[in-house]
Amino acid sequence: MRVSGSRGGYGALPSVDRVLNWRAVNDLSSAYGSTATVDAVRTALDDIRKRISAGENSAALCDPNTLTRDVSVLLAARFAPALRPVFNLTGTIIHTNLGRAPLAAEAITDIAAAAATPTNLEFDLASGRRGDRDFHLEDQICRLTGAAAATVVNNNAAAVLLVLNTLARRKEVIVSRGELVEIGGAFRIPDVMQRAGAKLHEVGTTNRTHLKDFATAISGKTALVMKVHTSNYEVRGFTRTVPEPELAKLARDHDRPFVVDLGSGMLVDLEDFGLPHERTARETLADGADLVTFSGDKLLGGPQAGIIAGRADLIAKIKRNPMKRALRLDKLVIAALSATLRLYENPDRLRELVPVLRLLTQPRADIAARAERVRPAVAEALAGMASVDTVPCKSQIGSGALPVDLLPSAALAIRPAGGGKRGGRKVAVLAAAFRALPTPVIGRIADGALLLDLRCLEDELGFLAQLDALDLAGLAAP
Ligand SMILES: *Cc1c(COP(=O)(O)O)cnc(C)c1O
């Protein structure tokens, strides 16, 4: 690009070619390639031109050191991985927007191994023939749930879609009005039902549904009876739901499948870990469900996946649906899910090895002790700008695992000094400053404070090491 040398402040602006010849920029070009470097130089010069026209000092902006740093920052951003690690201090353990379950070390090792070389993904090593990719997981799932057969797809939404499309296309599915759930991010039972080609037949009311509501709804058009876990809400007060064994018997008497969307779908009893009971896939199948569906990356603590387990004839039908091919699992996910399920074969070490269960079962006293350990350094980093207190709080499991706040935890409550009328804005500035750290820290805002729930802070040293980089300039403004 050519720049006329004499127009006002633009005179100091170097040409693209000149910048590319600076030694430091030339080094960047060797590292990142000339295409990206030329782009970055153009972008940096365009930005400077705008700032000069906005009245900034042109000599300072065009200083070679400054300009080279601008180019280097642009290139580093362009070549950074799309997904950046963050500290999840929101208090929601399985946070959908932050990627849900962190994986076990075993799962990560197995992903790396499966990624690097060819594997027996769809190859039967004994016979030398084509194999089935579900085969790797099916035995494990059957052992852990008591199901006769199983298959796995991309996520639980896909599992529900595939079950309905296979078993209920152009037919009716009976669901209680109390269970027409919406899970965040556009998964709504009535919409999925429609896309699957099934017709929703709602029965009962929002708060009460009786067995006779289901019984009178069953007709020649009925494909199946469905129960959906009310993952992210609770109906309290004058309520009634039909126990699963009764629904299962009704469906069986009419020769219709009974399908339960468990949502989170635990494989072990959470009571063993001191948590409220969450019905397991095994219990639901034992109570007479013909199929259950659940997520791989909620309470199970594995990768994103949707597991379908139950009657062999129904699973066989599902596997024959051409949609199955479109929803199938990738080899990396198979590796990670298989590794995670393997950990469930030894429940004694689950708490230690599956990060979700480790985070879920942390005693409040340990979290409070952590809060006391990190509070002084945070207070010092914010000295004069904000107060830092340790406060009790409640973490939640998240992702519609169990709907209510129930895990006693401890947080740092950070309140900007001189909050007053501008308090709300200042807390937002503070939250943004924590998000702007090299490893962004994500908290939540409550009652005029930034709350950092420390339940999920496993890397305390990494957290403390970057506090120096907090940019609090925005807080100082009146
Ligand atoms: C979370 C959830 C889903 C969706 O599962 P994904 O794995 O997120 O696709 C479906 N049904 C219920 C009841 C859920 O809780």
Side-chain angles (χ1 to χ4, degrees), residues 100 155-157 183 187 228-229 231 261 263 295 297-298 399-400:
R100 289 198 183 159
N155 55 21
N156 189 33
I183 312 291
F187 176 90
V228 183
H229 189 287
S231 296
D261 174 14
S295 290
D297 58 351
K298 292 186 182 170
S399 281

Side-chain angles (χ1 to χ4, degrees), residues 396-427:
Q396 54 182 5
I397 299 180
S399 281
L402 297 169
V404 273
D405 277 355
L406 78 177
L407 302 168
S409 184
L412 297 182
I414 309 179
R415 275 199 176 75
K421 261 195 181 153
R422 301 228 172 260
R425 191 193 66 85
K426 285 199 164 180
V427 178

